[in-house]
Amino acid sequence: MTANAERKYRRATAFQRRINPVLRRLPFQTVLETTGRVSGLPRLTPVGGRRVGDSFWLVSEFGERSQYVRNIKANPRVRIRIRGRWYSGTAHLLPGDDPVARLRTLPRYNSAVVRAVGAGLLTVRIALDV
């Protein structure tokens, strides 16, 4: 990772440590629940993305460095809260997908933030159990 990407990562994670506890309590914030790869405890992460049919699409701003992506690699079974309702599903990491093109299909504000802050983008698709 370049020095600039490392600096972005440190700044973003410091900010997210402060804001994520507030965001995940908001009733209509989309929240991804993974199982901690070491602790086995539920881990809640506010995310941005879009449901398309029986899938939920999102782009991780730091790819495989993101803690929730590491948790998905250990256990792909997840839950996601969309508009206040919880859905179970299986997450799939898609390194072959073009994350910049994918961001064009997702909500504009979140996509702009991910592009500005991110380094090493990675597309994630969650196949919902519906």
Side-chain angles (χ1 to χ4, degrees):
M1 191 175 266
T2 67
N4 186 38
E6 183 63 30
R7 203 168 21 257
K8 280 178 150 183
Y9 176 77
R10 287 185 184 182
R11 286 181 183 156
T13 54
F15 177 73
Q16 288 169 346
R17 265 189 226 108
R18 290 176 178 83
I19 195 74
N20 282 357
V22 174
L23 290 177
R24 65 180 165 235
R25 287 189 181 102
L26 298 176
F28 289 100
Q29 169 67 48
T30 302
V31 176
L32 175 65
E33 180 185 85
T34 59
T35 301
R37 63 193 175 281
V38 175
S39 69
L41 298 173
R43 299 296 180 201
L44 301 175
T45 306
V47 295
R50 173 170 284 142
R51 182 175 178 177
V52 179
D54 291 343
S55 294
F56 186 86
W57 293 86
L58 66 113
V59 174
S60 168
E61 66 257 271
F62 293 107
E64 295 194 17
R65 256 190 114 174
S66 296
Q67 297 300 317
Y68 71 89
V69 171
R70 291 178 178 184
N71 290 340
I72 287 169
K73 286 177 83 172
N75 180 359
R77 291 296 300 164
V78 299
R79 289 189 335 138
I80 189 156
R81 187 178 72 196
I82 306 168
R83 294 186 181 134
R85 182 170 175 220
W86 285 99
Y87 299 87
S88 294
T90 303
H92 303 276
L93 305 178
L94 303 172
D97 191 64
D98 180 355
V100 175
R102 181 69 55 194
L103 285 170
R104 288 189 212 110
T105 69
L106 300 178
R108 193 176 309 178
Y109 176 75
N110 181 73
S111 295
V113 171
V114 169
R115 272 193 301 274
V117 173
L121 306 177
L122 176 66
T123 302
V124 179
R125 181 180 67 86
I126 300 170
L128 303 174
D129 301 337
V130 285

